[in-house]
Amino acid sequence: MTDTRHRAPTRETPERILVVGSVNLDLSLSVGRHPSPGETVPGGSSSRSPGGKGANQAVAAARLGGDVALAARVGADETAEQALSLLRDCGVDLTWTSADPRRETGLAVVTVDRSGENSIVVVPGANGSWSVRDAAGLAEALGRSGVLVCQGEIPAPVLDALGEAARAEGVRFLLNLAPVVDVAPGTLRAADPLVVNEYEARLALRALGCGDSGVDDAAVVRALRGAGVPSVVMTRGAAGALVSGPGTEAAVPSPRVVAKDTTGAGDAFVGALAVGLARGEGLEEASRLAVRVGAAAVRSKGAQASYPWAGEALPEV
């Protein structure tokens, strides 16, 4: 593949997106409401589908026309092929995805209530077997890419190593700190952008040695920038996103939609954001696409299967 990192990316000549992250099989349960501690509630239905934040973001980007590779781990078990099925269907390059014979494929148990809100328990399985040495083995993949996308479902030392490698290679490092893991402050300061929700943003600010008591969302974003993070995107669900980077500070509204299932909506946002950045769009412009893709995803059940394809009509703000 031709190296595009030394020329300005455009829609016609986008950069490659390398996603390094998790692959899970999602076990989704529909419930009338989420149980309280110690309580049993009846479920309405159950289903199994591909998931994992890394895989979700790769599928979201590929369905929008991105040139995407995924580096990930699955187990050598019967669920691995199902977990990878939609990645294959949308043409994600799985050259750097492998099976660990000692581990099971990651599992996420997702409960979705009647309002579409979810709660999730993740068993990492093979996702937890990544090492710093494995990260070093991605030098070739990184060298072919212009945007590196990572999340918090692989070990923190691996994220630290990847952040350093991206900076050394001149590759843009999109870090979605979800879930929040104990990465080094330098990794947060390498993120361009750091993508976090309201809760994650405050934990990231504490990790950088800053307090956040009583501070509103916009001030948290500004504080993260002040602490050395090059650019920040704070996702706020139906309220859209706050975007801050060099010369850019904006509130990006989200379309109004009826949510059936919010599972994977944040990953749809990140995948779309990566596509916009790989096409050379500014952070605000890419975020405006991302909120529309995230809103489209909540209108259907499940994660990857709900993501829109390129050319599909998206909800308007």
Side-chain angles (χ1 to χ4, degrees):
M1 177 181 172
T2 301
D3 187 347
T4 63
R5 288 183 291 120
H6 301 295
R7 64 173 184 264
T10 66
R11 183 173 291 273
E12 290 72 32
T13 59
E15 296 175 315
R16 166 162 272 211
I17 299 165
L18 173 63
V19 181
V20 183
S22 56
V23 174
N24 293 330
L25 188 71
D26 288 353
L27 171 60
S28 299
L29 310 173
S30 65
V31 294
R33 60 180 177 82
H34 295 292
S36 300
E39 181 184 19
T40 299
V41 298
S45 64
S46 67
S47 62
R48 290 170 173 79
S49 60
K53 296 189 71 65
N56 290 351
Q57 293 171 9
V59 167
R63 284 192 169 197
L64 293 172
D67 177 11
V68 185
L70 174 68
R73 290 277 172 78
V74 293
D77 54 30
E78 67 278 2
T79 62
E81 195 54 41
Q82 184 178 0
L84 296 172
S85 59
L86 294 186
L87 289 156
R88 298 189 194 282
D89 287 350
C90 61
V92 173
D93 182 353
L94 298 178
T95 300
W96 292 276
T97 293
S98 61
D100 185 339
R102 303 164 300 171
R103 306 285 185 101
E104 295 181 340
T105 299
L107 174 69
V109 180
V110 184
T111 58
V112 183
D113 69 14
R114 62 170 60 94
S115 72
E117 289 298 325
N118 65 63
S119 63
I120 305 173
V121 176
V122 176
V123 181
N127 298 310
S129 68
W130 277 93
S131 69
V132 172
R133 178 178 294 182
D134 296 326
L138 295 177
E140 180 185 354
L142 195 61
R144 297 183 181 189
S145 305
V147 180
L148 170 65
V149 179
C150 295
Q151 331 74 32
E153 287 188 340
I154 58 176
V158 178
L159 297 176
D160 293 338
L162 289 168
E164 290 180 8
R167 181 158 44 190
E169 286 285 333
V171 175
R172 188 163 193 167
F173 180 40
L174 190 167
L175 175 60
N176 177 210
L177 196 64
V180 176
V181 291
D182 190 20
V183 296
T187 302
L188 298 176
R189 294 189 175 103
D192 185 18
L194 175 66
V195 182
V196 282
N197 65 20
E198 305 99 310
Y199 173 74
E200 294 155 357
R202 286 163 170 79
L203 291 181
L205 196 55
R206 292 177 200 169
L208 290 168
C210 305
D212 63 90
S213 177
V215 178
D216 65 22
D217 289 346
V220 170
V221 170
R222 288 193 295 271
L224 284 167
R225 293 286 320 287
V229 181
S231 63
V232 178
V233 177
M234 179 191 283
T235 59
R236 303 196 295 167
L242 296 178
V243 177
S244 181
T248 300
E249 190 162 328
V252 178
S254 176
R256 293 179 177 270
V257 296
V258 176
K260 292 185 178 179
D261 184 356
T262 59
T263 304
D267 297 330
F269 180 103
V270 171
L273 183 68
V275 168
L277 296 177
R279 291 173 177 169
E281 296 174 4
L283 193 60
E284 182 179 350
E285 183 183 4
S287 296
R288 291 190 184 279
L289 169 66
V291 295
R292 296 175 67 202
V293 170
V298 305
R299 299 182 301 183
S300 304
K301 291 186 176 181
Q304 294 175 24
S306 72
Y307 297 162
W309 292 86
E312 185 176 324
L314 298 175
E316 297 289 346
V317 176

